[in-house]
Amino acid sequence: MSQADVRPTLRVIAVLIAVAGTIDPAFQSVDASSRPVVAVRAAAEIDAAERALRSALSSPVITRDVTNGRLPCDSDDDCVVIADGSIDLDWDQRLRPVSLIKMPIAGQPNVRMRSVSVSRGHRAAAGTARVHLEGRGVTGKRTAVRVIDRQAVLGAVTHEWSTGGTAVVDVPWWPLDTGARALQIEAAPIDGEITAIDNRIDVGVAIAASKIPVLIFDARPSWHSTFVRRALEDDERFAVGYRSRLAPAVSAGTAGGRLDAATLDRVPLVIVGGPDALTAADVSLIERFVKVRGGTLVVLPERRPSGESARLFHGTWTEHLNPTPESIGPLRATELLRVADVSPASTVLAASGTVPVIVSSPTGAGRIVVSGAMDAWRYRSSNRGALALSEVEGFDRFWRSLAAEAAAAGEGLTITFANDVVEYGARTTFTLRDRRMDPSITSEASVVQRCGDALAQPVRVWPRGAIGEFAGEVSALANGTCTIEAGIGDRQVSASLAVVDHASRSVDDTLAKLERRVRASGGVVTNAGDEAAIARTLGDDPPTVSRVVTAHPMRRAWWMLPFAACLSIEWWLRRRAGLR
Amino acid sequence: MRNASVFAAINRVRWRWRVRAMALAITVAGAAFAAAIVLSSLAIAIGVAVIVLPLMWLRSASLSSVDAARLIESQFGALDNLVVTAAELQVRPREIRSEIGDEIDRQAAERIRSVDPNRVVPVAPPIAVAAAVLIGCGLLVRAGGGPVTQRIDNVTTAGTQRSGGPPLVVKVTPPSYTRRNSEALENPLQVAVIAGSRIQIESGGATLRNMMATESAALELRVGGEPRFLSLIVVPDTAPRLRVVTPGKDTAFVEPKGRVPIAIESRDDLGLASLSLRYTKASGGGENVSFSEGEIPLRINRTSDQDWRADAALSLEALNLADGDIVVYRAIARDTNPSGTPVQSEQYVIEIGRNAAIVDAGFSLPSEEKKYAISQQMVIYKTEQLIAARVRHPNDWLEQTRMIGIEQRMVRAEVVFLGGGEVEDEVEEAAKSDELTEGRLQNTGRAELLRAINAMSRAEAQLNDGNADAALVFEREALASLEKALDRRRYFLRTLPDRSRIDASRRLTGERKEARSWNRDLPVQPANTNLDALRRVMGELAASLANPAAVNASLAARIAAIDPSSKALQGAAVAIAAATSDASRQEAVQAAMKAVTIHALNAFPASTAVEIGVAPLGGALADELARRPRQ
């Protein structure tokens, strides 16, 4: 080829490169090579685990992040979640199992927030957040625990670690507004703490504004229930209906205070004083209220259970008298009823030493709370709004808190969310329950969802099996609050869900939940350092699905080199030839 | 010198060069001084100038004759190097023919006449610049010691407080009885004054507020359109403290002989006005008790206006006491506050008589029931005396009745304490007593005691309102009930904790005609306006974390307005108003949040953590476990 031929050839090649780059052709091929494994980043630091996974697997590994709380894998992907519990995620049914590499937090010093439980919120009262902490290498250090609502610090307590281990801290807080609130419970990192990813848990709490109806029924006059009633009457959260049977045909009380089916359908909480004087009809009605209606019964005995009312007392109760007052949880009493064989399903609220005295026992759809501190009313204190939690809390405060919790649990029509606080765009399930004294044979529910300023959208619900019980799912479509309004028959209820950008959950709970989901999907759960177990599992099931791969060969930067080289050589040759 | 005119011109140029060099040195040193005083302190700035000035001077001050000649030649091109040659020949003489030398001198001298040294080395501009720099440095120094940045910060601070207007002046005039001087404060954020002070707030010659300080307040003022915050803390004039140091206890003597030394100490925050020791003698017994009153002279030692001590010797012979008589004495102090009420000390008793259980002289107590009955009789006596002497108390009638009201309250407190504690109502009282298990007799005695206490409360209320006549009726009722209670029992039972059971056998055995309905008065819930204010303020504080511009005097005023008497909130408000940088604003907001939260938690009814367990399948599990026997 002569020089005169080379030059145009080079020029044509350069033009062809430019034209091809402009057209950018695509070429498709079938790839039957190994399917890549998707490593999902659900931890603060996964580099080491990811490297180990890559070296353990023969297939290529690509890494993706969690978006909107959802697993970023296709249904037929081999998916391995690397999690330390700081990021929660969920997924729908899949063709392929999901595996899990757990990265537990080791080392010290570290303070971990294991769980938080928040008392029922009401606009007219302060709340308490009970925080369970675990500390390693924290002896002599102080941890500040705060309750925050949208950057407003609503409560703070400092815990001083005398030793490591676990600690329970009660943090008083006050409500900023009504409705669903997302509270951030955080423990400020101590000096040198190895990680802060386990220092915060977000909880949702519904702050109510309406009064809580309570019925107090004295089968005979009772000191115990008198002072409990006074404690509730003096608190604006409660609308107390009262009836006391003074004589067989004589009773005194409020207009709405009657022990009948209509009232029991309406109130979530019934407090019974002088239960030894209850008649068989009374006990049957109250039992129905608890077992069928799902209400909460609080029994205030003043002697050993006997008569018709004995069947309201689960377990064997014995009387015990002390010469001096004994602390029974936050109460003090000398006359005690103690139960020996409390059911494993029951919750002990207060004990005399190790023997339960105040016990909540689930029964049917409801629960019965028995207070065996029979003369606690004698030793009630008058702490009102005190911040000093180290001192013995007052009679009034205990009963008001118990009544608020008990009433919330005993509502007739309830909406319960799987998560009280969710991230924007995430979905959560809810259960709608309708309980009545006389359940109807059929039940029809209507549910709508309102998120932010959006219009109400109907939500489809499905029956769960029991009459009056439905399940549904909602999406958090707006930051702030999403409200679910439901109606069944003549009853209406609404519940709100707090929606945030990012919700922190207990790392233990998150890891446990992920582990359950992974095992349910047929996947493998392993700890960091044992990635080979996953490799073995995935290796047993080699990829067989072929993929169609699309290629764009002109999308490469190195095409500039031949382009520039062709033009440069062509120019050099022309110049050598003396051409312009 | 070969050519005087040439060298005169050269010397003039050299001199002007030195002046210019000095001016430049001054300019550079002044600039360094100004930079140093801005960034550091005056002392450092002076040191810098002192170093820079001679350096600059030494660097550029010298100009040789030859250089001066060259300088002249460079400015005046027609000299043809003659001046330089002449200077060179002068500085470094060499062998040349005299006629050449003379010609050089002649031509140089002729041409030098056209040289203007001012044009060669102009000194006016450097001198002017140096002068300007010196003036500037002087102004900087006059602005005050310390770095200018600090001054700027101070100006900024002052600007923040008085931005948009003239300074805020708060004039405080304390009450005259305090004998304190008036003071004027400029741009304060917080002012603490004594109650009753006159507060006048001015700005730009205009009076914004003129008020009497009676209670703490948070003021938001508008000065030049800008909000300004002022926290006003009103400190009340506390009543004097008074104590009978010696003997400090009740005493008894077999015979009315001897002298009882009495020592008293009294303190007040502002100043005491008077101190006296008064006694009441009760003679006789039962319903035939007669009373007489008097005053015991005191020797007062005024350690200071605020601290007085006094002592007296009570002569028992001078009181003409007989067997069974009682003398009750107490000290009374007044402070300089004309509207303050006098303060009375604890009352102590001197009993004369052989019946007193004497351990040693001066260490015994009278029997309790007599003490209480006599105390109530004393109150009645004093009230009667006061009513009889009404015309002698036209101006201080209320004060006199309130003094008796104090005594009535003290008697009531003693009787209530004797009965075992505060009494709210019959149901509350029944919960604490044991008379239900002991029979109706005790119940009646207790009821009489309750009536006596009730009547005493009413009497005190009437006395506090100045209604001595109406109070006397209740006082006599109280005495009657007290005596009935005392007649039925020889001793008072303290409340004993015991097992309490409703005695069912006693049910429905009372008089039905006495049965009546009773509705318990529910406590009035306070208005929630304060709680709403707390919520609003907390919301604003949270929002201000992202918007520092919202941290201003208006926010401070709203924080303080939640509860002007709260020191924590007032302090938080002052910190908010005084914050000038973003960091200090963040700190102030965090501190304010903490103060608001503490205040809110005190306002709200507290709760306790109670977990009753609400597992959805818990009931089914429990029922199943109950159905199956445990193995």
Side-chain angles (χ1 to χ4, degrees):
Chain A
M1 185 183 278
S2 67
Q3 224 184 57
D5 298 326
V6 169
R7 293 199 312 273
T9 303
L10 290 173
R11 202 179 296 174
V12 166
I13 292 172
V15 169
L16 286 176
I17 292 174
V19 170
T22 304
I23 296 172
D24 186 29
F27 299 94
Q28 290 186 336
S29 62
V30 176
D31 181 15
S33 62
S34 301
R35 176 177 55 226
V37 172
V38 178
V40 178
R41 190 197 314 267
E45 185 57 54
I46 72 164
D47 289 347
E50 188 183 345
R51 280 197 299 274
L53 187 65
R54 285 180 191 278
S55 63
L57 290 172
S58 56
S59 309
V61 176
I62 53 177
T63 306
R64 292 183 190 153
D65 291 325
V66 176
T67 51
N68 287 339
R70 306 297 296 178
L71 190 71
C73 299
D74 293 334
S75 177
D76 59 347
D77 277 338
D78 279 326
C79 212
V80 178
V81 177
I82 305 174
D84 60 6
S86 61
I87 299 174
D88 191 15
L89 65 155
D90 209 345
W91 59 88
D92 299 325
Q93 275 213 309
R94 295 167 41 80
L95 294 175
R96 302 283 297 168
V98 178
S99 298
L100 173 67
I101 300 176
K102 293 196 296 185
M103 301 185 60
I105 298 166
Q108 57 186 30
N110 186 42
V111 173
R112 168 187 294 213
M113 191 174 289
R114 305 209 61 160
S115 68
V116 173
S117 60
V118 180
S119 60
R120 299 287 166 170
H122 196 281
R123 184 184 167 82
T128 301
R130 174 156 283 179
V131 183
H132 294 255
L133 299 173
E134 178 189 301
R136 286 199 304 270
V138 293
T139 303
K141 296 189 188 294
R142 298 157 73 95
T143 295
V145 182
R146 303 191 303 171
V147 176
I148 301 172
D149 181 354
R150 292 186 189 177
Q151 294 196 302
V153 179
L154 304 181
V157 161
T158 300
H159 174 72
E160 185 155 351
W161 295 91
S162 54
T163 59
T166 58
V168 178
V169 178
D170 286 341
V171 186
W173 62 278
W174 62 288
L176 207 53
D177 203 350
T178 54
R181 312 296 297 183
L183 301 181
Q184 297 109 50
I185 320 296
E186 63 178 38
I190 57 176
D191 289 338
E193 189 165 345
I194 56 168
T195 181
I197 64 171
D198 53 0
N199 283 37
R200 171 178 152 173
I201 293 178
D202 294 344
V203 295
V205 60
I207 308 295
S210 55
K211 283 185 179 284
I212 304 168
V214 178
L215 173 66
I216 300 180
F217 179 76
D218 289 341
R220 57 160 178 77
S222 160
W223 290 126
H224 200 171
S225 72
T226 294
F227 292 101
V228 171
R229 173 166 54 86
R230 289 189 170 198
L232 301 187
E233 285 175 342
D234 291 347
D235 190 318
E236 61 176 294
R237 285 179 285 174
F238 301 100
V240 179
Y242 164 65
R243 181 66 44 183
S244 175
R245 192 176 287 152
L246 305 175
V250 179
S251 69
T254 59
R258 302 228 172 253
L259 189 68
D260 55 27
T263 306
L264 295 182
D265 235 349
R266 184 174 52 83
V267 298
L269 171 64
V270 173
I271 300 175
V272 171
D276 44 280
L278 287 172
T279 64
D282 293 338
V283 174
S284 296
L285 191 63
I286 291 171
E287 268 190 325
R288 189 171 182 78
F289 166 73
V290 174
K291 291 184 176 179
V292 178
R293 159 68 178 74
T296 302
L297 171 69
V298 175
V299 185
L300 304 176
E302 287 177 333
R303 60 188 62 179
R304 213 166 134 259
S306 60
E308 298 290 340
S309 65
R311 61 182 198 261
L312 297 175
F313 294 76
H314 297 179
T316 308
W317 293 79
T318 55
E319 198 168 314
H320 181 84
L321 304 179
N322 290 331
T324 54
E326 177 187 347
S327 291
I328 310 297
L331 306 177
R332 288 163 59 79
T334 58
E335 300 173 18
L336 306 178
L337 272 183
R338 308 195 300 192
V339 60
D341 49 353
V342 66
S343 164
S346 299
T347 304
V348 177
L349 303 184
S352 166
T354 57
V355 185
V357 174
I358 304 178
V359 178
S360 170
S361 303
T363 307
R367 64 220 50 81
I368 300 176
V369 179
V370 177
S371 171
M374 294 189 288
D375 67 340
W377 52 271
R378 285 184 182 278
Y379 308 101
R380 61 195 182 281
S381 66
S382 57
N383 287 333
R384 293 178 194 280
L387 277 182
L389 295 179
S390 59
E391 63 188 68
V392 174
E393 296 183 47
F395 179 93
D396 290 358
R397 189 188 304 173
F398 171 75
W399 282 107
R400 288 167 183 163
S401 301
L402 176 62
E405 295 292 323
E411 288 285 356
L413 183 61
T414 59
I415 297 175
T416 309
F417 293 101
N419 295 304
D420 288 327
V421 58
V422 294
E423 294 179 354
Y424 172 72
R427 299 202 298 264
T428 186
T429 57
F430 68 89
T431 304
L432 176 65
R433 288 192 182 89
D434 178 37
R435 305 232 187 268
R436 299 170 187 254
M437 290 292 285
D438 295 310
S440 54
I441 299 172
T442 60
S443 185
E444 196 173 307
S446 64
V447 182
V448 296
Q449 169 185 346
R450 292 176 206 276
C451 284
D453 297 327
L455 292 175
Q457 294 181 350
V459 177
R460 183 177 289 255
V461 292
W462 305 98
R464 285 191 60 169
I467 298 290
E469 203 161 301
F470 301 86
E473 190 176 70
V474 291
S475 297
L477 301 176
N479 261 329
T481 306
C482 278
T483 302
I484 309 298
E485 297 170 4
I488 297 182
D490 57 345
R491 285 177 168 178
Q492 303 285 328
V493 71
S494 70
S496 296
L497 192 61
V499 182
V500 296
D501 289 327
H502 171 72
S504 296
R505 305 192 196 283
S506 160
V507 295
D508 295 335
D509 291 348
T510 303
L511 279 177
K513 177 202 154 195
L514 287 176
E515 186 169 340
R516 282 195 302 272
R517 288 300 309 272
V518 163
R519 292 194 191 281
S521 75
V524 171
V525 177
T526 181
N527 288 323
D530 191 20
E531 289 78 7
I534 293 181
R536 286 193 293 276
T537 306
L538 295 180
D540 290 343
D541 184 13
T544 57
V545 176
S546 298
R547 292 171 176 261
V548 173
V549 179
T550 302
H552 295 269
M554 295 310 298
R555 292 183 186 178
R556 296 287 184 272
W558 55 260
W559 280 109
M560 291 300 297
L561 291 176
F563 178 75
C566 287
L567 289 179
S568 299
I569 295 171
E570 193 270 342
W571 174 83
W572 179 70
L573 290 173
R574 274 197 294 112
R575 292 293 288 172
R576 271 191 66 185
L579 299 172
R580 288 184 62 180
Chain B
M1 181 116 5
R2 290 171 66 92
N3 194 328
S5 61
V6 171
F7 287 98
I10 287 175
N11 286 334
R12 280 173 64 192
V13 168
R14 292 177 70 191
W15 179 81
R16 292 179 75 85
W17 180 264
R18 284 196 208 97
V19 171
R20 182 179 154 196
M22 175 56 76
L24 285 175
I26 290 173
T27 301
V28 173
F33 176 89
I37 202 171
V38 168
L39 298 173
S40 58
S41 65
L42 177 63
I44 292 175
I46 291 173
V48 167
V50 164
I51 292 171
V52 169
L53 182 68
L55 277 177
M56 290 300 298
W57 166 253
L58 291 172
R59 223 173 127 246
S60 58
S62 63
L63 186 71
S64 64
S65 300
V66 174
D67 291 333
R70 289 200 182 101
L71 202 59
I72 293 170
E73 295 268 357
S74 67
Q75 292 292 324
F76 292 89
L79 294 175
D80 294 333
N81 213 32
L82 283 168
V83 176
V84 173
T85 304
E88 285 274 359
L89 289 174
Q90 178 66 27
V91 172
R92 289 184 283 274
R94 63 199 71 176
E95 290 291 325
I96 59 170
R97 287 167 61 180
S98 59
E99 49 274 19
I100 293 173
D102 291 341
E103 185 59 23
I104 290 171
D105 289 342
R106 187 191 65 78
Q107 289 194 24
E110 192 176 306
R111 295 191 190 187
I112 203 69
R113 289 194 205 105
S114 65
V115 169
D116 181 7
N118 289 339
R119 281 182 54 194
V120 176
V121 183
V123 294
I127 289 175
V129 170
V133 168
L134 281 175
I135 290 171
C137 290
L139 290 174
L140 284 173
V141 170
R142 197 175 170 200
V148 174
T149 48
Q150 181 181 347
R151 300 297 300 169
I152 291 173
D153 285 345
N154 290 344
V155 170
T156 305
T157 302
T160 301
Q161 295 184 20
R162 52 170 205 262
S163 61
L168 194 71
V169 177
V170 179
K171 293 180 182 171
V172 178
T173 307
S176 56
Y177 73 88
T178 63
R179 295 188 205 130
R180 289 190 175 185
N181 296 328
S182 301
E183 53 180 342
L185 306 166
E186 191 169 306
N187 293 321
L189 282 172
Q190 187 173 65
V191 176
V193 302
I194 298 171
S197 300
R198 169 69 55 184
I199 308 292
Q200 188 165 329
I201 304 173
E202 298 172 352
S203 180
T207 300
L208 301 179
R209 297 281 177 95
N210 190 340
M211 55 196 244
M212 183 73 69
T214 54
E215 56 182 10
S216 298
L219 305 176
E220 184 181 354
L221 308 162
R222 287 273 156 182
V223 178
E226 290 290 320
R228 299 285 299 277
F229 169 69
L230 177 66
S231 166
L232 182 65
I233 305 289
V234 177
V235 180
D237 180 9
T238 54
R241 294 190 300 277
L242 185 58
R243 189 168 74 99
V244 177
V245 180
T246 309
K249 59 187 177 187
D250 295 339
T251 53
F253 296 86
V254 176
E255 291 184 353
K257 289 179 182 174
R259 299 169 80 82
V260 179
I262 299 172
I264 302 165
E265 62 180 26
S266 179
R267 288 191 182 87
D268 186 68
D269 54 345
L270 293 174
L272 289 161
S274 68
L275 184 61
S276 61
L277 181 65
R278 298 187 64 83
Y279 71 88
T280 302
K281 184 177 85 172
S283 302
E287 295 182 359
N288 299 317
V289 177
S290 64
F291 298 92
S292 61
E293 289 196 327
E295 189 166 329
I296 305 167
L298 285 174
R299 286 185 297 277
I300 300 176
N301 176 19
R302 296 177 175 80
T303 310
S304 64
D305 287 342
Q306 293 83 24
D307 187 359
W308 290 9
R309 289 164 201 269
D311 59 84
L314 178 58
S315 169
L316 296 179
E317 291 94 342
L319 293 176
N320 296 322
L321 297 168
D323 182 29
D325 287 354
I326 287 178
V327 176
V328 181
Y329 62 92
R330 73 263 181 220
I332 299 169
R334 296 186 66 117
D335 62 5
T336 52
N337 187 348
S339 35
T341 51
V343 169
Q344 189 170 279
S345 72
E346 183 89 21
Q347 294 189 106
Y348 294 99
V349 174
I350 300 174
E351 188 179 11
I352 308 296
R354 296 185 182 81
N355 290 334
I358 298 173
V359 176
D360 54 48
F363 190 76
S364 170
L365 295 174
S367 55
E368 287 193 354
E369 67 269 21
K370 191 175 179 185
K371 176 181 173 184
Y372 299 125
I374 289 176
S375 298
Q376 187 62 22
Q377 283 180 319
M378 271 175 49
V379 171
I380 294 171
Y381 166 75
K382 289 184 179 181
T383 307
E384 289 170 343
Q385 291 295 306
L386 182 64
I387 292 172
R390 193 194 298 263
V391 293
R392 293 208 295 270
H393 299 282
N395 298 322
D396 62 343
W397 172 257
L398 190 60
E399 182 182 320
Q400 294 295 325
T401 57
R402 283 181 176 172
M403 289 286 289
I404 302 175
I406 293 172
E407 291 194 34
Q408 177 66 92
R409 184 165 63 243
M410 292 166 73
V411 173
R412 179 184 177 278
E414 292 282 348
V415 176
V416 167
F417 176 73
L418 180 72
E422 189 56 59
V423 175
E424 292 179 11
D425 52 44
E426 288 186 353
V427 176
E428 178 79 21
E429 180 54 29
K432 288 181 179 167
S433 75
D434 59 350
E435 75 275 7
L436 289 176
T437 61
E438 292 190 24
R440 298 185 63 193
L441 188 61
Q442 290 168 335
N443 195 5
T444 306
R446 196 67 171 173
E448 293 295 342
L449 200 60
L450 282 176
R451 289 196 187 92
I453 293 169
N454 223 351
M456 289 180 194
S457 300
R458 291 193 169 91
E460 182 194 342
Q462 295 294 332
L463 288 166
N464 286 336
D465 288 340
N467 302 326
D469 300 282
L472 194 58
V473 173
F474 291 115
E475 289 166 11
R476 288 177 178 143
E477 273 185 29
L479 179 62
S481 295
L482 202 58
E483 287 177 339
K484 284 180 194 172
L486 295 173
D487 284 343
R488 289 177 184 274
R489 297 296 304 274
R490 304 313 298 167
Y491 56 92
F492 290 106
L493 275 182
R494 297 281 270 173
T495 305
L496 298 171
D498 196 352
R499 292 179 56 178
S500 169
R501 292 281 187 269
I502 298 290
D503 182 1
S505 66
R506 292 181 56 209
R507 294 180 68 193
L508 306 177
T509 58
E511 289 288 334
R512 290 185 66 181
K513 60 184 176 186
E514 290 183 16
R516 65 189 187 284
S517 294
W518 174 75
N519 287 325
R520 176 172 165 263
D521 293 329
L522 295 178
V524 176
Q525 299 292 344
N528 280 336
T529 51
N530 205 20
L531 301 180
D532 292 337
L534 281 167
R535 292 190 166 103
R536 276 196 301 273
V537 162
M538 184 57 103
E540 289 182 56
L541 286 170
S544 69
L545 287 173
N547 178 22
V551 181
N552 56 22
S554 292
L555 178 60
R558 286 191 290 279
I559 292 171
I562 293 171
D563 185 359
S565 64
S566 164
K567 285 185 181 173
L569 288 175
Q570 293 288 333
V574 167
I576 290 274
T580 52
S581 65
D582 283 353
S584 61
R585 288 189 187 102
Q586 289 275 336
E587 259 187 58
V589 167
Q590 295 288 351
M593 277 193 189
K594 187 176 173 184
V596 169
T597 288
I598 291 175
H599 194 86
L601 288 173
N602 281 330
F604 279 101
S607 71
T608 187
V610 175
E611 297 172 16
I612 65 172
V614 286
L617 295 178
L621 171 64
D623 292 344
E624 185 62 23
L625 289 171
R627 194 177 64 81
R628 297 182 189 183
R630 284 198 183 179
Q631 295 170 359

